[in-house]
Amino acid sequence: MEEIVLVSIAVIFVVGIFSQWLAWRIQWPSIVIMSIAGLLLGPIFGLFNPQEALGDLYSPLISLAVAIVLFEGSSSLDIREIKGISKSVFRIVTGGAFIAWIAGALAAHFIAGLSLEISFIIGGLFVVTGPTVIIPLLRNAKLKPRIAAVLKWEGIIVDPFGPLLALFAYEVIKVLTTDTLHFDYMLHFFFNAFIAVIFGYVIGMIVSIMVSKGVFPEYLKSPIILAFVLLCFTMAEVVMHETGMLAVTVMGLTLARTKRYVTSIGNVSHFVENISVMLTSTIFILLTASLSRETIAEIFTLPIIGFVLVMLFIVRPLSIWIATIGTELTKAEKTLVSWVAPRGVVALTVSGYFAAILLDDGHEGAEMLTTLTFALVFITVCAHGFTLSPIAKKLGLANNAPPGILIIGSSSFSIALADYLRKLDIPVLISDTSEGRLRGAADKDIPTYHGQILAEHAEFEVDLTPYETILSMTGDNAYNALVSQSYAPEFGYNNTFSLPSGNINKDDPDGITISLRAHLLFAEDAIFTELNRKINTNYSIQSINIQEKNKIVKDTIPEDVTPLLIVKENKTIQVITLRKKFVLDVGDKLVVLKKVQD
């Protein structure tokens, strides 16, 4: 038995992470790949059933994982993200959620054939979208910040309230179906929900105060905060089932508010985000691999398919368009939001809980909840996962331009490089703290940002969506290194580069390591002062069209030519670094700094 559990856990983690990687490689929504992987392992090939292998640990493990994912999502929220759209977000998570609850319940009753009691329970649950599904989709779609913030905030805020609405409906049913009305049931429900909110807020404040006073050593800070998250969730769950998600969401929101003043809390976010990605992968594998073949077969019945279509094309658009009347959202934004509502982990896990208690209470048709929920989850994940990006581009809410370059530091050379890239229709932005240094870029109509790119507020003032590569090219090595280190998690290590301000001795054994040299720009002698000297004299940035396939360039570049970039036919950019060779294909443009011919 121990070996079975060990193998099951290992397979779940490996397949989950590999699914994320495969989705990245083939540019598919990661949730779709993970769902398919789970179905192949479980009901299709019957290789193993995680629920049977893990036994009593199955549900608690999923619940704790969901708690961490919800905490990560809520702790990443910043009220500045919804500046100008706060009215829309408030309407969607209140009035929109209520309309979706009522309309979804009616659809479950009249289309899927469930009783009214069960319909109002499942209707409350189906208002969720959730960070486990919406955030991976937003990451792939590269939406503009404004519309991405609406979808992100809706998913995170509504996610814990879906189970509470379902639980509220269940309590109402208990009151209405008893011979004597016991309104203490309702008082008990609201009191326990309030206690969950208090748990989340108090624990969040305790953690914030302890971190600000340096109670935790730096290396233990992330694990201790994670332990508090699990404690907060468990305490709320003990008081009343399904309130733990509300508690950890409130805790995350509390820390999100305080981390603006307690900087060190923000340093934990990358650790928790990595844990969240891993857990999201494994949760979907666990849930889909545990489904039975009978459940999969029941999905393709007319009532279930009809219910899902009504939820997609009537309930969701109706709730959004009504809720956002008179708000800041444009018609295009309303159209996209009204389409995107993928359900995920919370709906799957909580529906199983309600199916069990409703069957115990003798409600007929409760066994259909799992099938109905999985149908909605899988179809919405596939439908929205594959259509979000193209629809967003069609509506002008996503970035259609080729991957751009963010340049830190305005100088004669960086302005010349940016101007050349702009003429190739490649998005470029120059950031500098000096308005005077930016004047040359502004004169050439190059987009600029005047401010400190390392400041926290820059995240909300600069739309980084169009840019996939960052070049730090100031005259300060330390500053360049700090920029690269700060933005590596967002841009990726392989897309983060810096320009040395002084000579690099390649023969110095104690100098820069090979791994770091790979991310220093251009060539050994291509330093800040030399590049600017050349661009200010008789050198210019030019391109060489490549006619020979797979030509490998190594130590064949003339001394007066400095290779800078390779522009592919699809306008993607390959930055040339201190690596000694690079490969060119037919149709490529080799961008170089070259002496102007007299």
Side-chain angles (χ1 to χ4, degrees):
M1 182 63 184
E2 183 179 342
E3 289 78 7
I4 295 176
V5 174
L6 179 63
V7 171
S8 298
I9 293 175
V11 168
I12 290 165
F13 273 100
V14 171
V15 173
I17 298 301
F18 178 77
S19 297
Q20 291 265 20
W21 173 82
L22 180 62
W24 171 76
R25 289 290 298 178
I26 65 177
Q27 293 299 296
W28 273 32
S30 58
I31 301 298
V32 174
I33 299 294
M34 290 184 286
S35 299
I36 293 173
L39 291 175
L40 291 174
L41 287 174
I44 294 179
F45 292 120
L47 298 179
F48 77 106
N49 187 321
Q51 190 168 8
E52 293 179 357
L54 297 175
D56 293 338
L57 292 176
Y58 176 79
S59 293
L61 284 176
I62 291 179
S63 297
L64 292 173
V66 171
I68 294 172
V69 173
L70 282 174
F71 169 78
E72 188 274 329
S74 59
S75 64
S76 68
L77 294 177
D78 193 302
I79 195 66
R80 289 171 291 183
E81 290 180 332
I82 56 172
K83 183 181 180 181
I85 53 172
S86 56
K87 184 178 180 181
S88 305
V89 172
F90 178 77
R91 292 269 199 90
I92 289 171
V93 301
T94 53
F98 179 77
I99 295 170
W101 177 23
I102 302 303
L106 295 176
H109 177 64
F110 290 105
I111 306 298
L114 297 176
S115 66
L116 274 175
E117 295 88 349
I118 297 177
S119 296
F120 274 93
I121 291 174
I122 204 69
L125 178 59
F126 285 164
V127 303
V128 302
T129 54
T132 57
V133 285
I134 197 66
I135 290 178
L137 293 185
L138 295 178
R139 189 181 295 125
N140 292 334
K142 296 182 179 178
L143 302 182
K144 291 182 177 179
R146 175 181 160 108
I147 190 66
V150 173
L151 293 169
K152 175 184 174 184
W153 274 71
E154 181 201 7
I156 293 171
I157 298 300
V158 172
D159 215 40
F161 286 102
L164 284 179
L165 285 176
L167 197 59
F168 173 73
Y170 176 70
E171 295 291 344
V172 170
I173 290 170
K174 285 171 65 177
V175 170
L176 296 177
T177 54
T178 54
D179 295 333
T180 305
L181 295 181
H182 296 291
F183 288 103
D184 56 327
Y185 278 133
M186 305 309 301
L187 293 175
H188 179 73
F189 168 81
F190 286 113
F191 178 75
N192 288 337
F194 178 72
I195 291 297
V197 172
I198 296 300
F199 278 160
Y201 178 75
V202 170
I203 293 177
M205 288 303 299
I206 289 173
V207 171
S208 176
I209 292 170
M210 295 177 76
V211 170
S212 66
K213 292 184 177 298
V215 176
F216 309 139
E218 196 65 33
Y219 73 97
L220 282 179
K221 190 179 299 176
S222 296
I224 287 175
I225 290 179
L226 201 59
F228 272 106
V229 172
L230 300 180
L231 176 65
C232 179
F233 177 81
T234 304
M235 289 171 60
E237 284 288 299
V238 169
V239 172
M240 185 173 71
H241 198 58
E242 302 305 337
T243 59
M245 288 182 283
L246 176 62
V248 295
T249 301
V250 172
M251 178 183 172
L253 291 171
T254 304
L255 287 180
R257 184 177 63 86
T258 58
K259 73 180 180 182
R260 294 177 60 183
Y261 313 104
V262 185
T263 308
S264 57
I265 291 179
N267 299 332
V268 178
S269 59
H270 291 308
F271 170 81
V272 181
E273 182 181 3
N274 291 335
I275 295 292
S276 178
V277 169
M278 182 176 65
L279 292 177
T280 301
S281 306
T282 55
I283 290 170
F284 268 90
I285 300 297
L286 279 169
L287 291 172
T288 52
S290 298
L291 295 170
S292 66
R293 293 180 181 178
E294 291 75 16
T295 299
I296 303 300
E298 290 174 3
I299 290 174
F300 302 99
T301 58
L302 187 58
I304 290 181
I305 295 297
F307 169 77
V308 173
L309 293 177
V310 168
M311 293 292 288
L312 280 171
F313 296 104
I314 297 178
V315 173
R316 175 65 177 183
L318 185 70
S319 64
I320 295 301
W321 281 94
I322 293 177
T324 55
I325 292 174
T327 62
E328 314 93 336
L329 295 187
T330 64
K331 288 183 179 179
E333 290 170 333
K334 291 179 183 179
T335 301
L336 186 64
V337 175
S338 68
W339 169 242
V340 180
R343 275 64 170 189
V345 170
V346 171
L348 278 174
T349 54
V350 179
S351 67
Y353 165 75
F354 280 107
I357 63 173
L358 287 171
L359 284 173
D360 290 341
D361 291 345
H363 289 277
E364 294 183 4
E367 66 279 354
M368 190 179 176
L369 288 185
T370 302
T371 303
L372 196 67
T373 304
F374 179 74
L376 185 64
V377 168
F378 189 73
I379 293 174
T380 55
V381 161
C382 291
H384 299 142
F386 285 112
T387 61
L388 175 57
S389 184
I391 290 177
K393 289 180 180 179
K394 190 73 175 177
L395 294 172
L397 299 175
N399 180 36
N400 290 310
I405 294 181
L406 172 62
I407 297 176
I408 310 301
S410 183
S411 64
S412 299
F413 172 74
S414 63
I415 292 173
L417 180 61
D419 188 45
Y420 186 88
L421 292 171
R422 188 175 57 88
K423 291 175 181 177
L424 294 177
D425 295 324
I426 295 171
V428 64
L429 175 72
I430 297 181
S431 170
D432 201 292
T433 56
S434 169
E435 188 175 2
R437 287 195 294 266
L438 287 171
R439 191 169 294 120
D443 291 341
K444 294 180 178 291
D445 295 325
I446 299 170
T448 62
Y449 170 65
H450 176 219
Q452 176 54 264
I453 197 67
L454 292 176
E456 185 183 6
H457 59 77
E459 178 183 351
F460 306 100
E461 295 177 352
V462 183
D463 179 11
L464 297 179
T465 306
Y467 312 107
E468 289 191 357
T469 302
I470 182 169
L471 309 180
S472 187
M473 300 196 297
T474 72
D476 186 337
N477 272 337
Y479 185 79
N480 290 342
L482 185 59
V483 170
S484 297
Q485 183 182 25
S486 300
Y487 278 91
E490 182 168 351
F491 283 83
Y493 183 67
N494 291 329
N495 295 322
T496 307
F497 306 91
S498 62
L499 180 69
S501 60
N503 288 318
I504 300 171
N505 185 0
K506 63 181 180 180
D507 298 321
D508 180 9
D510 298 323
I512 299 173
T513 64
I514 294 176
S515 61
L516 290 179
R517 288 164 64 86
H519 294 272
L520 292 178
L521 288 168
F522 311 139
E524 297 285 354
D525 59 345
I527 59 175
F528 178 82
T529 52
E530 183 66 12
L531 291 176
N532 281 285
R533 182 193 67 78
K534 287 182 176 181
I535 207 70
N536 288 326
T537 53
N538 59 341
Y539 283 74
S540 68
I541 296 178
Q542 307 173 36
S543 63
I544 302 172
N545 293 321
I546 305 303
Q547 306 296 331
E548 182 180 344
K549 184 177 176 63
N550 293 329
K551 179 182 180 182
I552 299 179
V553 179
K554 182 178 181 180
D555 297 330
T556 59
I557 301 295
E559 289 186 3
D560 62 340
V561 174
T562 303
L564 306 174
L565 310 166
I566 300 171
V567 181
K568 299 292 184 179
E569 283 189 291
N570 61 358
K571 296 295 183 68
T572 57
I573 301 293
Q574 178 184 336
V575 180
I576 293 173
T577 67
L578 292 187
R579 290 189 177 100
K580 282 302 180 181
K581 63 181 180 180
F582 45 88
V583 179
L584 299 169
D585 292 322
V586 175
D588 289 351
K589 287 182 182 294
L590 178 61
V591 180
V592 300
L593 181 63
K594 186 178 180 182
K595 196 170 187 177
V596 178
Q597 297 296 327
D598 296 329

